[in-house]
Amino acid sequence: MIDIHIYKNDPRTQYMADGLERLLDEERQVLVMLENDPSLKELGSEELVRIQEQISLLKIQMDQILMDKEEGEDENPNEIILEVRAGTGGDEASLFAYELADMYQRYAENKGWESRILNESKSAVQGYKEVSIEIKGKDVYKFLKYETGVHRVQRIPATEKMGRIHTSTASVAILPIVKLSKIEIDPSEIEMEFSRSGGAGGQNVNKVETAVRLIHKPTGIDVRCTSERSQQKNREKAFTILAAKLQAAKDEEEAKKFALNRKEQIGTGDRSEKIRTYNFPQDRLTDHRIKESWHNLPKILSGEIDPIIEAMQAYLAKIE
């Protein structure tokens, strides 16, 4: 007999417990059908096996989550990789990506967290095509985990002569650092490349191939790290980032299977989903998930985003 209340009373398994409850109800209905109509035995038995397999899988996952918690698994890691990538909008999108990356670094500084750029690719106008930032600090994941998604900007670019408002986007991804032991990475599935880091850093940067690029062939996930001075350290950091990305992909897949109701309320957490609009003509930021707005964009982009994050946390507390 499954005690579903154990899972419902824990926030980490609450949303999965709803799915388990539906499956248990389906199991009861099939058992009643088989008892009342033996002629449906073959068809009903196949359906019963399918349902029971799903129940077993879901229960194993929830038990593992509860076990991890009992063993002290930190559900809000103190280290993340924050990625920002320019989306639609050309140079303007890259400039917006730069502003977002700067906003999060300033926020980290306000919180007393450590941050450093692991890898960056700049555009011709010195914006970011993409950038990866390591941030370490108490509860960093707790505060930033819902920043994942598409951020949209509406403003008149400096190069616009007709005064027209342009719309550009940049995507943000928050990747909690996970232990490599939790993610199995087959070395035969990794393609590794080495190159010079480039940029500032002295003679060593220009002469020694310290930059490391990993390609996970089964998924196509591509990771590059240039922040460390040695190839070995960059390789270790790249594997850490790869593990985080593989875990994030796994978590997203599980969320799609077991959290449909929650997904409709707060979003999928996928990079493809528009979560915010930064409207400069109206000096307004709007979070589309919770349908709230704030003014004073210069202050927000200087790292003053606590009110926005707190509003999201308050919203989630109501629906969970």
Side-chain angles (χ1 to χ4, degrees), residues 129-146:
K129 294 179 182 177
E130 61 180 286
V131 61
S132 297
I133 303 169
E134 179 184 56
I135 304 179
K136 296 180 181 180
K138 182 172 174 55
D139 291 335
V140 60
Y141 183 62
K142 174 184 176 182
F143 285 94
L144 292 178
K145 60 184 175 181
Y146 295 111

Side-chain angles (χ1 to χ4, degrees), residues 6-7 13 58-68:
I6 294 175
Y7 306 116
T13 54
L58 196 52
K59 187 176 183 300
I60 288 171
Q61 291 175 324
M62 290 191 292
D63 285 342
Q64 185 61 52
I65 289 172
L66 294 180
M67 190 182 303
D68 286 344

